[in-house]
Amino acid sequence: MAAKKKKKMIHDFYKMKKNGEKVVWITSYDYPTGQFAEAADVDMILVGDSLGMCVYGYKGTVPVTMDQCIVHSEAVRRAAPNVFVIGDMPFLSYQVSSADAVVNAGRFLKDADCDAIKLEGGQRVVPQIRAILDAGIVVCGHIGLTPQSSGQLGGHKAQGRTVESAKVLVDDALALCEAGIQLLLLEAVPPEVGKYITELLPIPVYGIGAGIHTDGQLLIVSDLIGQFQAFTPKFVKKYANVAEVVTGAIRDYGNEVRSGAFPANEHCYKMIEGEFAKFEEMVKQYKKPE
Ligand code: KIV
């Protein structure tokens, strides 16, 4: 039997940065995928608010609620007890006040046993970040393309492609680091900007669409397994085509039901020996309804 995996904690991620070891990070939203992630030896899981699109079919992440995030985080935690799980704070769970931010961040720990929370934004969310940190919660920042404010960004667009935009990212990264975040995620930025920020900050900096130089990579599981079909961001590599496999399996099932090939004998329960003759006798008392 394989030895039980030791769960990595925040200090392990700092050691990995120091040793140049890359962190493998994926999203997960449910029990089966959480089990697959743990079995595949990922270092951390994000129960992302991307569940809005990947699980519920919303157009974006804005409609996602705290209750949805908690339910999905609970399922993932049950599935992956030996993986560092990060809960993702949905839109309006932290923007309104620091008090809301602490209560909602705390729910990820109290209700879903998460190890950390992630929230989007730079300098403008520093007060909320400080309040969450003061409550003793590990915080992962998230800058670059921040889907909850994609309206202000003019859509789901890469950030940091001009020097002005790159400067905003560097300033935001420094402000978050100064506020005390323990991890940072960069989304959809050029590799040069990813490299600069990763080398500048003493904390682990991970990327999703931020190039090869970050301390680790995140991908959305529904993208990497080829399940999510609405659109495919440039930074996605599909490692499987689950949509094709699952659609094919359901189509084969339908064809066999229609042709009478399913269910076959091996899918049927057998009556207990000797009971069939008695059953035939017993049903003689019934008449077909008119
Ligand atoms: O919700 C999510 O999965 C995310 C990633 C896109 C970074 O925040």
Side-chain angles (χ1 to χ4, degrees):
M1 209 174 84
K4 199 168 149 233
K5 197 184 139 195
K6 189 174 168 290
K7 178 172 159 180
K8 292 198 176 80
M9 298 303 289
I10 194 74
H11 61 274
D12 296 304
F13 302 126
Y14 278 74
K15 265 192 229 152
M16 288 173 78
K17 176 172 177 114
K18 197 164 154 239
N19 298 337
E21 269 178 78
K22 298 280 184 182
V23 157
V24 177
W25 189 12
I26 65 164
T27 68
S28 173
Y29 316 109
D30 56 33
Y31 187 84
T33 321
Q35 285 187 310
F36 299 148
E38 176 155 327
D41 224 10
V42 303
D43 297 307
M44 51 171 89
I45 292 176
L46 172 70
V47 187
D49 63 352
S50 49
L51 65 87
M53 291 169 291
C54 299
V55 177
Y56 289 95
Y58 303 152
K59 276 201 306 243
T61 56
V62 164
V64 174
T65 66
M66 266 306 293
D67 287 345
Q68 287 171 320
C69 288
I70 294 294
V71 166
H72 287 274
S73 300
E74 284 172 341
V76 170
R77 167 50 80 214
R78 280 193 291 275
N82 303 307
V83 182
F84 191 87
V85 173
I86 303 182
D88 200 12
M89 299 199 61
F91 184 57
L92 291 195
S93 68
Y94 58 96
Q95 286 90 342
V96 178
S97 72
S98 294
D100 276 2
V102 174
V103 169
N104 287 321
R107 281 191 67 194
F108 282 101
L109 275 69
K110 284 170 80 78
D111 300 350
D113 195 20
C114 287
D115 299 293
I117 61 92
K118 173 176 89 56
L119 51 73
E120 296 180 7
Q123 309 192 40
R124 65 184 174 187
V125 291
V126 160
Q128 290 92 320
I129 286 177
R130 285 194 202 282
I132 296 169
L133 289 166
D134 283 348
I137 297 169
V138 176
V139 175
C140 175
H142 175 178
I143 57 173
L145 168 52
T146 44
Q148 291 173 18
S149 43
S150 59
Q152 283 184 342
L153 301 176
H156 285 81
K157 289 192 175 146
Q159 302 297 304
R161 297 180 69 204
T162 63
V163 72
E164 291 81 16
S165 166
K167 183 174 185 329
V168 172
L169 292 177
V170 174
D171 290 343
D172 276 343
L174 285 169
L176 296 182
C177 190
E178 160 74 20
I181 59 164
Q182 288 94 343
L183 304 168
L184 178 65
L185 175 67
L186 300 176
E187 178 169 352
V189 304
E192 296 81 357
V193 178
K195 180 173 191 290
Y196 182 72
I197 294 177
T198 303
E199 289 172 359
L200 180 69
L201 299 193
I203 64 173
V205 177
Y206 305 130
I208 176 166
I212 191 75
H213 305 288
T214 53
D215 297 314
Q217 297 291 331
L218 169 66
L219 271 185
I220 292 187
V221 71
S222 317
D223 287 331
L224 89 87
I225 65 173
Q227 185 183 46
F228 183 72
Q229 298 189 87
F231 59 90
T232 306
K234 183 179 175 58
F235 54 72
V236 168
K237 178 169 176 185
K238 292 190 182 187
Y239 288 85
N241 196 335
V242 159
E244 202 173 287
V245 171
V246 173
T247 309
I250 297 170
R251 184 173 292 117
D252 290 348
Y253 161 70
N255 289 340
E256 291 202 353
V257 168
R258 291 182 189 111
S259 72
F262 179 84
N265 268 347
E266 73 256 34
H267 308 116
C268 297
Y269 298 100
K270 288 193 174 41
M271 283 196 91
I272 295 195
E273 196 138 10
E275 291 296 301
F276 181 58
K278 289 190 242 166
F279 174 74
E280 281 192 309
E281 234 1 82
M282 181 275 287
V283 295
K284 283 183 183 156
Q285 66 184 296
Y286 294 105
K287 274 205 193 104
K288 260 186 188 289
E290 294 289 300

